[in-house]
Amino acid sequence: MKLEGVRVLDLSFFLPGPMLTLMMADHGADVLKIEPPGEGDPAREIGYRKNGASVWFRNTSRGKRSIQVDLKSAEGRALLLDLAAEADVVVEAFRPGVIQRLGFDYEAVKARNPGIVYVAISAFGQTGPYRDRPAHDIAVQALAGMVSLSEGFDGKPTPPNMPVADALASLTALSGVLMALLRREKTGQGDYLDVAMYDSLLAWTPNVTGKIFATGEAHVPKDERSWGGNAMYGLYECADGQWICLGGSEVKFARNLLAGLDRLDLLPYAELQPGPGQEPLRAFLREAFVTKTRAEWEAWFEGRDVCFAPVRTLKEAFEDPAMAARGMLSRDVDGNEIVGTPILFSHEPAIIDPVPPVLGAGPAGWRGR
């Protein structure tokens, strides 16, 4: 597998760090979770449980090993530095300054292992005015301006339903780690990565910053292309209270839809800029879609070249045979659901180890390269 022989010390909890090291473990990395004395990783006890284990923990820590280390003790710090001397990657996600107080910062590890790739994931980064602010995903999204864009039909912001700041920070960190490992092949030197959830979010705004950069004005979400201003890019209620989604604003899709609905006379509205000018088309679509159930519309759209999708529950999505067909859902020997990896190689594909680590059961040393 692509990362066979890569050794990772994982000091992180919750989502960004554990998802980074999970993706590495799926592709052959030897990931050793460093868990605190007592109950260990908080995710072991968070949320719903099945067959004696947290579903969250099973699907972020499977395929890893675990040891318990008291990072506040001299013995624990010495053990961790010994492990780091043999590691390739260290992942930590404490608040800035904590790891320095523990004596396990990059400089301390680098002194023992110059080739270490050390990544620190935090809400706002190791520098800057927000460095010491405590925050989880929703607060980062709020400060970065993202929550204000999640505007409901009542015109008020709604809580984001996916941890996008967590996810983008994890993927940013994975990209940086792999770049550093690749560069190390030539130089023999590792590196330090300062990954902020805040930065990772803002880096993904080029397609929506046009208005504020070009005019200096704030967005009005309901009038913008991606957030409701385009009639062909939005949500519509059906007769049974379920919803459907139109997800392609290209004029060709509007033409195909309106031809099927015998209303090509409304096509000029789809050619306008997003905003109030498209309201006649939106009004028609609201009236049209509420005349049939979601299932009836699914049948109607079959075979039509229109970007369309039913608005499913997450349960419905995981029940779709496409999940298993893509390897995104499987089950272990006890019937526990296992979420797969999205990184699909033709050669040396991932090998999913569905077993979460027993707390502290892993040996202190590393298995052979």
Side-chain angles (χ1 to χ4, degrees):
M1 290 187 288
K2 296 291 189 287
L3 297 179
E4 185 176 357
V6 174
R7 296 169 171 177
V8 183
L9 281 185
D10 184 3
L11 285 73
S12 65
F13 304 133
F14 302 111
L15 277 179
M19 286 300 293
L20 157 64
T21 57
L22 176 73
M23 289 183 281
M24 297 186 73
D26 285 344
H27 290 275
D30 183 0
V31 179
L32 186 59
K33 286 180 62 65
I34 308 301
E35 302 192 60
E39 296 182 347
D41 185 338
R44 289 181 178 272
E45 304 300 326
I46 295 177
Y48 292 93
R49 303 175 70 82
K50 184 174 182 180
N51 290 330
S54 156
V55 175
W56 177 338
F57 183 78
R58 179 181 292 118
N59 279 288
T60 54
S61 294
R62 54 177 172 74
K64 304 175 185 178
R65 297 186 295 149
S66 164
I67 62 170
Q68 289 186 282
V69 180
D70 181 1
L71 299 182
K72 296 181 180 179
S73 71
E75 296 81 4
R77 289 193 294 272
L79 171 59
L80 207 55
L81 285 170
D82 286 343
L83 290 169
E86 301 181 49
D88 298 289
V89 179
V90 168
V91 179
E92 69 95 352
F94 295 108
R95 288 173 64 175
V98 171
I99 204 72
Q100 285 80 7
R101 292 195 295 273
L102 293 173
F104 192 69
D105 59 316
Y106 173 60
E107 294 302 327
V109 174
K110 181 184 176 185
R112 296 282 301 273
N113 181 356
I116 197 71
V117 174
Y118 193 114
V119 56
I121 304 174
S122 62
F124 301 107
Q126 304 299 311
T127 62
Y130 298 141
R131 173 184 185 271
D132 297 318
R133 271 182 100 133
H136 285 297
D137 181 274
I138 188 172
V140 176
Q141 290 203 48
L143 201 62
M146 305 302 163
V147 171
S148 70
L149 302 176
S150 300
E151 188 176 281
F153 290 111
D154 60 0
K156 299 177 181 180
T158 62
N161 294 316
M162 288 296 292
V164 180
D166 284 344
L168 290 177
S170 184
L171 292 171
T172 298
L174 176 63
S175 300
V177 166
L178 298 181
M179 289 180 196
L181 289 173
L182 182 62
R183 184 60 175 167
R184 192 182 68 174
E185 291 294 311
K186 293 184 177 181
T187 67
Q189 297 296 309
D191 211 334
Y192 178 80
L193 287 78
D194 171 7
V195 175
M197 296 159 62
Y198 187 71
D199 301 345
S200 300
L201 267 178
L202 292 170
W204 280 89
T205 59
N207 68 315
V208 296
T209 48
K211 181 174 183 178
I212 56 175
F213 287 176
T215 71
E217 297 177 359
H219 292 102
V220 179
K222 66 183 179 61
D223 292 338
E224 301 295 332
R225 173 177 55 84
S226 297
W227 307 310
N230 197 304
M232 293 294 297
Y233 204 89
L235 307 177
Y236 294 94
E237 190 172 8
C238 302
D240 54 355
Q242 305 254 20
W243 292 73
I244 64 169
C245 169
L246 295 180
S249 57
E250 295 91 330
V251 174
K252 65 178 180 180
F253 295 133
R255 181 179 296 107
N256 294 339
L257 173 61
L258 293 173
L261 296 172
D262 295 322
R263 288 302 307 268
L264 276 174
D265 59 296
L266 294 173
L267 186 61
Y269 293 108
E271 298 171 339
L272 298 175
Q273 288 296 311
Q278 290 199 16
E279 181 55 31
L281 177 54
R282 277 195 297 271
F284 165 72
L285 293 176
R286 285 194 296 267
E287 294 170 1
F289 287 130
V290 81
T291 63
K292 300 179 187 293
T293 66
R294 191 188 83 176
E296 289 173 324
W297 281 115
E298 288 187 71
W300 187 89
F301 274 100
E302 188 68 31
R304 297 179 190 271
D305 188 27
V306 179
C307 284
F308 155 84
V311 177
R312 293 173 166 177
T313 64
L314 188 58
K315 179 178 183 292
E316 288 176 309
F318 272 100
E319 290 170 346
D320 190 327
M323 297 290 286
R326 291 289 297 171
M328 288 308 299
L329 178 66
S330 60
R331 286 175 171 77
D332 65 14
V333 294
D334 297 318
N336 298 305
E337 293 82 357
I338 302 299
V339 180
T341 178
I343 304 173
L344 305 182
F345 289 112
S346 293
H347 303 289
E348 299 179 328
I351 296 177
I352 304 299
D353 179 352
V355 182
V358 175
L359 181 60
W366 298 97
R367 59 179 178 240
R369 287 186 185 270

